[in-house]
Amino acid sequence: MNGQLSDILKKVRRLEIVSNRSANDLFAGEYKSVFRGQGIEFSEVREYQPGDDIRLIDWNVTARAGRPFIKRFVEERELTILFMLDVSASGIFGSRRGKLDTAVETAATLMFSALKNNDKVGLLTFCDNVIGCHPPRKGKGAVLRLIREMIAQEPVPRPTDLARALDYANRILKRRAVVFLISDFFAPQADKELAICRRKHDLIALSLTDPREADFPNIGLIRLRDPETGQTAQIDTASPRVRALLARRLGAQRESVKNCLSHYGIDQLEIGTDRDCVKDLRGFFEKRRGRKHA
């Protein structure tokens, strides 16, 4: 038990160093420009100038001063961020590293970026039900605690239920938040819950992918086991027809997810297990920033 805890703490420390460096590299000056705050807050009053909106006049100050003054507001920068992490057993898969390991590294990089902006960060882990929920909190201690929870979480051999997890998040988040939904999306679609979450929050889907899923290797006759359902099937990977069928099915599934997310206006970013997540995130945020300022 002590040895396992020691290993987890070492991984936390290693990931802290890597993610903190990645956050510095990725979000220097960009993070704040990509996400909106939760609203506006009062800043100050100043004397009225021609062209100012008369609806902003502070009549109390105006009456005392004998000349018009207006209220000024600024965007409230503090964000509430919730990471929804799919920990079902399909996260084990990966030709170079597992999907769950990729997800943890990506989430940790984003968490340290949030930390630099003094944002609140929370974590919800799920498969067919909610496994754990850690409400959004500020501070480095809170971020390290969430990273420790992610590293310690073993993949759960049960299917993914996106609808149940999203419904839970929609109920616990009382204010507008940025929600990162991290999954391979091998699950029934959850149109209603996705639509509600998108309407209430800034929902971003991070889709985990692996190149072997689209290009299955020729390794002869093999028996595959679904890690979530336990079902097995014998597959002849030497057959080009079989490999093409597998690729078509996966392509159709990914296209279905893409169309569903696009329909509800949900931003999607594919995170590959064979790629540097920082490069993927950088491209995504640059594109999002450009769209925002267009």
Side-chain angles (χ1 to χ4, degrees), residues 31-32 34-38 75-84 110 114 117 119-124 136 169 173 175-181 197-198 200-206 267 284-285 288:
Y31 181 85
K32 289 186 178 183
V34 171
F35 297 114
R36 294 193 304 271
Q38 299 184 42
E75 183 180 13
E76 185 181 352
R77 281 308 320 167
E78 180 184 291
L79 299 172
T80 297
I81 302 181
L82 179 68
F83 291 86
M84 297 182 62
L110 290 167
N117 198 50
D119 293 333
K120 295 180 181 178
V121 180
L123 173 68
L124 188 153
L173 291 172
R175 302 183 65 190
R176 180 175 175 82
V178 177
V179 178
F180 287 100
L181 177 57
C197 193
R198 171 65 180 86
K200 296 171 66 175
H201 307 290
D202 186 358
L203 176 60
I204 300 167
L206 301 183
D267 282 345
F284 172 75
F285 280 98
R288 203 171 203 251

Side-chain angles (χ1 to χ4, degrees), residues 255-272:
E255 191 66 22
S256 176
V257 171
K258 182 179 179 180
N259 290 338
C260 176
L261 296 172
S262 177
H263 176 74
Y264 293 112
I266 299 169
D267 282 345
Q268 179 189 21
L269 170 64
E270 288 192 352
I271 301 289

Side-chain angles (χ1 to χ4, degrees), residues 174-212:
K174 304 303 181 184
R175 302 183 65 190
R176 180 175 175 82
V178 177
V179 178
F180 287 100
L181 177 57
I182 311 176
S183 174
D184 57 14
F185 290 89
F186 290 157
Q189 291 183 185
D191 295 58
K192 175 184 174 183
E193 292 77 13
L194 283 168
I196 293 173
C197 193
R198 171 65 180 86
R199 187 170 65 250
K200 296 171 66 175
H201 307 290
D202 186 358
L203 176 60
I204 300 167
L206 301 183
S207 303
L208 303 169
T209 66
D210 187 271
R212 287 303 187 193

Side-chain angles (χ1 to χ4, degrees), residues 164-179:
R164 181 171 290 186
L166 285 164
D167 179 65
Y168 188 92
N170 288 333
R171 286 188 284 110
I172 65 169
L173 291 172
K174 304 303 181 184
R175 302 183 65 190
R176 180 175 175 82
V178 177
V179 178

Side-chain angles (χ1 to χ4, degrees), residues 225-236:
R225 178 179 180 275
D226 188 320
E228 296 182 2
T229 66
Q231 295 180 338
T232 61
Q234 189 165 277
I235 304 294
D236 183 11

